[in-house]
Amino acid sequence: MTATKQEGRAFSPEALKEKYRLEREKRLRPDGNTQYIPVKGVFADFDKDPYVEPGFMRPALAEQLDVLIVGGGFGGMLSAARLRQAGVDAIRIVEKGGDFGGTWYWNRYPGAACDVESYIYLPLLEETGYMPTEKYARAPEIFAHCQRIGRHFQLYEKALFQTLVQSMDWDEDARRWNVTTDRGDRLAARFVIIAGGILHKAKLPGIPGIETFKGHCFHTSRWDYAYTGGSPTSRMTRLGDKRVGIIGTGATAVQAIPQLGAVSQQLYVFQRTPSSVGVRGNRPTDEAWAKSLQAGWQQDRIRNFSAIVSGRALPVDMVQDGWTYIFQDGATQQARTPEEAVELRQLADYRKMEEIRARVDAIVSDAATAEALKPYYNPMCKRPCFHDEYLETFNRPNVQLVDTEGKGVERMTPRGVVVKGEEYPVDCLIYASGFEVSGDYTRMLGFDIRGRDGTSLRESWADGPATLHGMHSRGFPNLLMFTTTQSGWAINFVHILDEQSQHAAYIIGRCLKQGVEVIEPSAQAQQQWWDVILSRLRMGISFGGADCTPGYYNNEGVSPGPNAIRYATFGGDTLAFIDVLRAWRQGDGLVGLELSQGKVASKP
Ligand code: NDP
């Protein structure tokens, strides 16, 4: 291939390929995920809930339940709502936070918003009769919608907030899960749904000297408004005389930095890898459009988006935004061979990233800063970002980009942050360093699960997970897990959660109606499901490929071992996974599950 000009500035694919390789190599490090440190020990306060009054007490409960749901985010709420719709009422939701919302309960940093369109991201809009105010909803509106779902489906009376599950043991005689919590509850549940969420455990960069810093610091997922002043809906008021540093330039930082830049005396942005930042183009909801919508519009729109961002060619793009733009390319549809399709796809990716880089040049005045803000990798190597004030912030005189050229912060001192030998003293340091991504499912949950014969899930999955649909695992009857492991993945992740919820509610509703006491996947069904996942892996259907710059999409660039590979997702096509679940439900036979009949006595 030679220099190519496709509706934009000219570029050389060969030169870009080499540049991408060099940028990736700068960032590769052998410690992969272990470069990060968990939020505990001297950092334990980073995990405290700043949104509840301290000292909450309630009596311990002893209950018999049809279903216990772990997690009160979208996955847990959708499950509870779908169970209610299926007529299952003896349920409880156990949630760590002080309210519903999950990620939207915790993440209240300034500027927080969802970068997936609100009309497809906020679930149950038609059921609750709500229409978001903007194309991209801000965090307070999303949190309020979570509360609306809670009220609409009467979930508050089912919730145990500020409560953590401590143990979960299968009782073979009673054919129930015995669950204990840190509030002394003893809950015996016929079924358990674990909707614990992903990306919920904050992580910190393992920077030498990090524990020696004496200034104020916190993680973005527990924003300290007591220090910064302001609130999620009002401007921060106490940073006007503060030197503030922020470590990280991922999706969270891209939203928070414009807010910090507007109010801090001095802001240092410590960057390891620049994000790709496309046009946001937010706008208020068009009332006439909203009124024109026909029943069923939300599901149609959700499916249309997921199809397009799974690479399917559709005649109509309903959402028409930066996400669908990344995936649309008429040229690749005309490819005659798979190899040609790959080549055309790569050319389209180069062209789109050239547009992102040209946008940096057009907005950022200082040439060296602009150069450092340009991402050199394919669009889906890292989470793409969309913002109309982020790049502009670097034109402010009080904002300085401190680029670490892919190496990360060198070390920290009691006064501040050192990069390339230079110390940047700060009063306040904010970690926008993301969330743990681990193959160790029970570590992420925070408790182990003991199934048949007392075998723990950790032991059972020591050689990697074995599941049916990523939801059931042999040895753990009546347990339904919502994970990405051997399960679907979506850019609009709530789409997957809604389908998993409907699937779980169907299975549980049916078992309770038909007196099926125990379900458990057969070994053969698990093997067949793994064969499906493996065949998709072999076709290379996954995000964050091996050639990508390191990040959590590709295990920080470290190739996964034979066990870790079993944590793979179903891969790429969201609708293909959903269609597998739907076809399975239509098949009527609960195929692959071994059933044990009995009389189910449900005692609320
Ligand atoms: P990320 O993991 O995406 O970003 C962490 C940042 O910290 C990266 O820029 C990383 O650099 C940087 N970093 C890590 N270690 C160091 C170091 N030693 N020195 C300097 N920098 C370092 O976390 P986020 O919280 O930004 O986002 C997590 C996810 O949350 C997103 O991917 C997205 O899925 C979700 N999210 C969604 C939003 C939405 O609108 N729907 C909004 C915000 C978040 P490097 O890239 O080099 O690793």
Side-chain angles (χ1 to χ4, degrees):
M1 286 187 280
T2 51
T4 304
K5 184 162 179 13
Q6 299 186 339
E7 306 156 28
R9 60 186 189 179
F11 62 88
S12 153
E14 287 85 2
L16 280 180
K17 187 174 182 190
E18 181 58 8
K19 172 79 173 158
Y20 285 17
R21 190 185 67 75
L22 289 171
E23 291 294 327
R24 168 183 151 85
E25 271 183 14
K26 268 188 208 169
R27 292 170 171 82
L28 278 177
R29 39 192 289 171
D31 50 359
N33 262 320
T34 58
Q35 68 180 279
Y36 298 106
I37 51 175
V39 171
K40 56 183 191 190
V42 289
F43 300 109
D45 275 2
F46 280 21
D47 195 35
K48 277 199 179 144
D49 185 343
Y51 317 120
V52 289
E53 293 292 325
F56 168 74
M57 306 276 278
R58 66 163 171 79
L61 300 178
E63 290 184 330
Q64 300 273 316
L65 303 165
D66 281 339
V67 190
L68 176 80
I69 299 168
V70 183
F74 276 135
M77 298 184 79
L78 282 161
S79 299
R82 299 298 181 194
L83 284 166
R84 288 280 219 191
Q85 287 174 329
V88 182
D89 283 326
I91 61 177
R92 276 278 175 214
I93 306 165
V94 176
E95 163 59 41
K96 175 181 175 182
D99 203 336
F100 289 118
T103 198
W104 300 105
Y105 174 84
W106 297 111
N107 285 282
R108 304 189 190 190
Y109 59 86
C114 185
D115 61 9
V116 173
E117 195 199 53
S118 59
Y119 317 125
I120 59 170
Y121 180 78
L122 270 61
L124 303 168
L125 288 180
E126 291 189 73
E127 289 84 343
T128 55
Y130 183 68
M131 179 54 69
T133 59
E134 294 179 286
K135 187 168 168 74
Y136 300 96
R138 289 154 215 257
E141 183 173 0
I142 304 176
F143 180 36
H145 186 61
C146 295
Q147 295 173 316
R148 179 175 300 108
I149 293 172
R151 290 191 302 273
H152 184 90
F153 290 95
Q154 291 150 16
L155 304 184
Y156 277 99
E157 64 201 56
K158 302 294 182 187
L160 300 178
F161 293 126
Q162 299 191 57
T163 303
L164 285 171
V165 169
Q166 280 191 325
S167 68
M168 192 174 284
D169 295 81
W170 175 250
D171 179 340
E172 188 66 39
D173 297 330
R175 298 179 154 199
R176 283 176 184 268
W177 286 100
N178 288 330
V179 179
T180 64
T181 74
D182 63 347
R183 301 261 169 205
D185 306 310
R186 306 188 74 78
L187 308 168
R190 179 71 61 198
F191 293 91
V192 170
I193 294 176
I194 299 186
I198 53 170
L199 301 177
H200 58 84
K201 256 183 190 267
K203 70 182 183 203
L204 295 171
I207 300 168
I210 185 170
E211 69 294 338
T212 65
F213 177 65
K214 293 276 183 283
H216 195 75
C217 53
F218 55 89
H219 187 273
T220 50
S221 62
R222 305 282 188 277
W223 195 269
D224 190 351
Y225 284 105
Y227 180 85
T228 64
S231 73
T233 50
S234 67
R235 196 176 159 92
M236 290 173 283
T237 50
R238 298 199 193 122
L239 297 180
D241 58 352
K242 300 281 187 295
R243 297 160 303 174
V244 179
I246 182 164
I247 296 186
T249 51
T252 298
V254 164
Q255 294 179 335
I257 283 168
Q259 314 292 323
L260 288 168
V263 298
S264 305
Q265 181 197 71
Q266 172 71 41
L267 176 67
Y268 296 111
V269 177
F270 298 100
Q271 171 181 274
R272 188 165 68 177
T273 308
S275 279
S276 77
V277 185
V279 173
R280 169 71 307 163
N282 199 8
R283 55 177 183 265
T285 298
D286 177 345
E287 275 184 41
W289 167 78
K291 283 202 183 106
S292 74
L293 295 167
Q294 305 291 316
W297 70 269
Q298 196 186 16
Q299 279 305 312
D300 288 349
R301 198 171 177 95
I302 289 171
R303 282 184 72 83
N304 179 270
F305 177 84
S306 284
I308 290 174
V309 297
S310 295
R312 297 190 186 189
L314 293 190
V316 178
D317 171 3
M318 292 177 167
V319 171
Q320 291 189 47
D321 71 354
W323 286 109
T324 59
Y325 179 65
I326 290 174
F327 288 88
Q328 270 171 2
D329 216 288
T332 53
Q333 312 302 333
Q334 292 149 20
R336 282 157 303 188
T337 62
E339 293 74 25
E340 198 184 0
V342 169
E343 193 176 327
L344 289 173
R345 174 83 253 163
Q346 183 58 69
L347 275 178
D349 282 353
Y350 284 145
R351 177 166 54 77
K352 284 171 184 168
M353 290 304 278
E354 279 293 285
E355 290 169 9
I356 293 288
R357 291 186 282 267
R359 184 167 186 252
V360 180
D361 279 332
I363 294 173
V364 179
S365 328
D366 178 68
T369 305
E371 200 46 45
L373 283 167
K374 289 181 194 167
Y376 285 96
Y377 45 79
N378 278 333
M380 285 308 295
C381 281
K382 279 187 179 287
R383 173 99 181 181
C385 301
F386 308 93
H387 210 287
D388 294 339
E389 291 154 48
Y390 175 72
L391 294 170
E392 288 78 352
T393 300
F394 293 94
N395 292 336
R396 287 180 177 272
N398 63 325
V399 177
Q400 184 180 342
L401 180 72
V402 184
D403 185 36
T404 67
E405 293 178 16
K407 295 293 168 213
V409 166
E410 189 179 302
R411 64 193 163 85
M412 283 171 59
T413 67
R415 278 161 36 97
V417 179
V418 180
V419 174
K420 289 186 267 180
E422 188 176 341
E423 187 188 59
Y424 296 83
V426 292
D427 303 302
C428 171
L429 189 58
I430 299 163
Y431 294 102
S433 45
F435 302 87
E436 284 189 36
V437 177
S438 163
D440 186 341
Y441 182 62
T442 48
R443 199 178 99 68
M444 297 305 287
L445 276 179
F447 59 91
D448 205 354
I449 303 168
R450 295 206 169 266
R452 275 197 204 288
D453 312 320
T455 306
S456 77
L457 193 67
R458 177 171 280 141
E459 289 156 5
S460 178
W461 285 8
D463 295 331
T467 77
L468 172 62
H469 299 152
M471 191 176 274
H472 319 270
S473 191
R474 189 162 176 78
F476 300 87
N478 295 8
L479 177 66
L480 296 90
M481 293 171 283
F482 294 3
T483 74
T484 53
T485 296
Q486 302 183 12
S487 183
W489 199 88
I491 285 172
N492 178 13
F493 200 69
V494 180
H495 190 188
I496 288 288
L497 293 175
D498 193 20
E499 292 290 337
Q500 287 172 323
S501 307
Q502 291 180 45
H503 196 69
Y506 167 83
I507 294 170
I508 293 171
R510 201 176 136 162
C511 288
L512 291 175
K513 262 193 210 97
Q514 297 181 351
V516 176
E517 275 197 338
V518 181
I519 54 165
E520 186 176 1
S522 69
Q524 190 196 11
Q526 295 194 149
Q527 183 55 46
Q528 283 169 351
W529 183 243
W530 175 241
D531 291 343
V532 171
I533 305 285
L534 207 52
S535 66
R536 294 182 70 83
L537 280 177
R538 289 201 178 109
M539 283 155 63
I541 305 174
S542 65
F543 289 126
D547 296 341
C548 280
T549 192
Y552 78 86
Y553 276 14
N554 69 347
N555 198 38
E556 300 294 334
V558 177
S559 92
N563 295 350
I565 202 151
R566 292 189 72 104
Y567 282 88
T569 66
F570 180 81
D573 193 328
T574 301
L575 291 185
F577 174 74
I578 287 169
D579 290 345
V580 168
L581 294 190
R582 289 187 172 189
W584 184 89
R585 297 204 292 275
Q586 275 160 14
D588 204 37
L590 302 180
V591 176
L593 292 177
E594 293 170 356
L595 314 181
S596 168
Q597 213 75 20
K599 192 171 171 304
V600 175
S602 144
K603 294 179 213 141

